[in-house]
Amino acid sequence: MSELTRIAAPDGVAHAAQYSHVVLGTGRFVAVSGQLALDEDGTLVGEGDAAAQARQVFENLRRCLSAAGAGFDDVVKLTFFVTDMAHMSAIRAARAEHIPDDRLPAASAVQVASLVRPEFLMEIEAFAVVAP
């Protein structure tokens, strides 16, 4: 695990309750492509259910990070692509199962018109820094 510094609110920037404004560290950079709510067989998990999809997406992120020798403690940035901002509460709940509030990465949330298939409600990508 790398040593990361999280700056919740730099001087002159409003505090954010759901993410850190800045995360920095030294080590190997890991980029995880946007993950969808597909199980290991490529079957959609949770059609129409944002909470089920969010849990599956975070499980996929966990597996991808693990394959790179990383974990959620190493994540410096998450980007959430959602078809409806109302899904963010389900994403935050799933994220809380993996990342404690005192280890929140930087984050962006973007509402999109659609994803690669209409049944997907969200896609989440991650960037991490792992000790060399």
Side-chain angles (χ1 to χ4, degrees):
M1 178 170 47
S2 65
E3 289 294 320
L4 300 179
T5 301
R6 290 169 175 82
I7 303 170
D11 289 343
V13 177
H15 180 75
Q18 298 296 324
Y19 58 90
S20 297
H21 278 286
V22 179
V23 181
L24 58 123
T26 304
R28 279 186 309 115
F29 180 74
V30 176
V32 178
S33 292
Q35 296 298 302
L36 299 163
L38 295 173
D39 67 14
E40 58 201 33
D41 297 319
T43 303
L44 173 67
V45 172
E47 185 163 357
D49 182 344
Q53 287 197 22
R55 285 190 301 272
Q56 183 63 46
V57 168
F58 272 91
E59 177 58 18
N60 292 348
L61 288 168
R62 185 194 65 74
R63 290 176 180 175
C64 290
L65 289 164
S66 180
F72 282 106
D73 278 350
D74 302 306
V75 172
V76 296
K77 176 83 173 10
L78 291 170
T79 306
F80 310 110
F81 302 97
V82 295
T83 57
D84 186 332
M85 281 296 175
H87 302 323
M88 287 305 300
S89 60
I91 289 171
R92 283 193 284 279
R95 182 190 63 195
E97 293 175 17
H98 298 278
I99 304 172
D101 285 347
D102 66 340
R103 310 270 311 155
L104 291 174
S108 297
V110 181
Q111 184 169 331
V112 296
S114 65
L115 293 165
V116 68
R117 292 190 345 221
E119 61 269 27
F120 294 123
L121 304 176
M122 65 197 64
E123 181 173 336
I124 303 173
E125 66 182 14
F127 299 103
V129 175
V130 193

